[in-house]
Amino acid sequence: MSFDLLGTGSCLPARCVKNDELTQLFDTSDEWIRMRTGIEERHIITDEQVAGLAIAAAKAALRNSGTSAEELDYILCPTLGGDYITPSLACMVQQGLGAKCPAMDMNAACSGFVYACDIADGLFARGRAKRVLVVAADGLSRILDWNDRSTSVLFGDGAAAVVLGEGDGLKYLAVGSAPSLALNLPFLNGNCPYTAKKDRQTVLQMDGREVYRFAVDALSSGVASALEATGYAKEEVRFVVPHQANLRIIEAAAKRLRMPMEQFACNIQKNGNISAVSIPLVLDEFMNQGRLHKGDILVFSAFGAGMTAGTAILQWKI
């Protein structure tokens, strides 16, 4: 016994920033961004808080799954950070929902949603939970160098959630890591008089080429391994739902897997990269559009800073 996915929800900031607006900040163009990333626009936090987005997404997922906050046995928040280092984003979500269960954040960067599913699987297997809420949320615009077009054009903000319940929908799950600083965010400098001061920026930094190589390999090899382990044929997969980092990464992995792009569920064009939010956001969007049907086989495949990676196969039961 593992879990079924019972419901989805999401919430994006009101402010939508199109590529053309970014030309006011640095030397770029809509064509330059589209050609290299596939991104057309992204949502950016203005006066919202990450916790507010997460709570709204969680409430939608609870409503859509027919679950009350009182029924939750655990809240997991994959995130790079909420509005505070402490209390955790998960505790803020718990407060906002009026739930009474344990709640914790976890940081596996863009692979966080699959990692959270792995933790949830363990809770179900141990009989510790009947309902688990996974809420991914991030405000990546707060940690970017907005003078650097190579990173600031890629990311957006938002939240997405799923409710998991006991069931047999999960068919496969594997996570892993390959330590690297290719994508990193240094910790904030404090003013401790005993600590050597370091002249460094506390903004996201990325080696684009190394990240690209890792991502294409992680996505293609992760999907291939999952299919081999379960015996599913490529043709049986309704959608591969990849982390939405860069459309060119997804296209390269699809080519390596010899699978058509029509089998890859993408919404990066409208949202950019929102870290662990990407996969559940696609699920919520495709669910609302009627593009997912009971019995569909879905492959989740994520990769991110750390470097981390994770792949899961789920049979859609809604």
Side-chain angles (χ1 to χ4, degrees), residues 1-316:
M1 177 68 70
S2 182
F3 63 74
D4 289 332
L5 196 154
L6 306 179
T8 64
S10 63
C11 183
L12 297 172
R15 182 76 162 89
C16 179
V17 177
K18 297 182 181 297
N19 290 344
D20 284 338
E21 291 188 60
L22 298 180
T23 63
Q24 303 170 26
L25 302 178
F26 35 68
D27 181 19
T28 191
S29 67
D30 175 56
E31 181 182 12
W32 188 91
I33 298 170
R34 287 183 190 233
M35 287 292 292
R36 287 162 177 78
T37 71
I39 299 169
E40 301 171 10
E41 59 191 41
R42 73 287 293 148
H43 292 262
I44 300 294
I45 285 174
T46 53
D47 58 354
E48 299 101 339
Q49 290 190 317
V50 174
L53 300 176
I55 292 166
K59 287 181 176 179
L62 290 174
R63 181 173 62 252
N64 292 333
S65 67
T67 302
S68 68
E70 291 76 15
E71 293 178 271
L72 294 175
D73 298 304
Y74 226 104
I75 297 173
L76 299 171
C77 284
T79 181
L80 292 178
D83 306 300
Y84 306 94
I85 293 176
T86 189
S88 69
L89 174 61
C91 284
M92 300 301 291
V93 170
Q94 178 194 17
Q95 181 186 51
L97 297 178
K100 305 299 182 183
C101 60
M104 72 171 184
D105 287 1
M106 46 173 298
N107 180 0
C110 302
S111 304
F113 177 71
V114 179
Y115 269 70
C117 287
D118 191 38
I119 293 174
D121 184 33
L123 292 170
F124 287 115
R126 293 167 56 209
R128 294 290 301 274
K130 295 182 181 298
R131 290 287 188 277
V132 174
L133 174 68
V134 178
V135 190
D138 265 308
L140 299 175
S141 62
R142 305 170 304 172
I143 61 174
L144 300 176
D145 177 0
W146 283 93
N147 295 312
D148 176 16
R149 71 173 182 175
S150 67
T151 55
S152 56
V153 303
L154 297 173
F155 298 95
D157 304 330
V162 301
V163 175
L164 306 177
E166 289 180 302
D168 60 358
L170 182 67
K171 306 301 182 184
Y172 173 92
L173 199 154
V175 293
S177 61
S180 169
L181 289 173
L183 184 59
N184 72 84
L185 176 67
F187 201 80
L188 294 172
N189 288 315
N191 62 353
C192 175
Y194 305 108
T195 302
K197 299 299 181 288
K198 296 181 179 179
D199 183 20
R200 63 182 183 184
Q201 289 184 305
T202 52
V203 293
L204 186 143
Q205 301 169 44
M206 181 175 70
D207 180 337
R209 290 183 180 179
E210 184 174 343
V211 170
Y212 181 89
R213 287 193 295 268
F214 174 83
V216 172
D217 182 66
L219 176 51
S220 57
S221 64
V223 172
S225 295
L227 295 178
E228 182 179 2
T230 56
Y232 284 114
K234 297 174 186 177
E235 295 75 20
E236 294 179 90
V237 175
R238 177 68 178 98
F239 286 116
V240 174
V241 187
H243 167 51
Q244 309 288 301
N246 186 313
L247 191 59
R248 307 309 162 221
I249 290 172
I250 299 170
E251 289 171 341
K255 183 177 181 180
R256 188 177 293 185
L257 286 162
R258 297 183 180 179
M259 295 176 70
M261 275 298 292
E262 290 75 20
Q263 275 187 281
F264 287 76
C266 297
N267 67 2
I268 187 173
Q269 297 89 341
K270 304 298 181 184
N271 300 296
N273 179 348
I274 321 180
S275 192
V277 179
S278 289
I279 291 176
L281 183 61
V282 171
L283 294 177
D284 188 50
E285 179 180 310
F286 277 41
M287 175 67 182
N288 291 332
Q289 293 174 350
R291 300 174 68 180
L292 297 177
H293 305 93
K294 191 172 183 178
D296 283 349
I297 299 299
L298 306 178
V299 181
F300 307 154
S301 189
F303 46 86
M307 305 295 283
T308 61
T311 306
I313 295 182
L314 183 86
Q315 186 174 35
W316 194 253

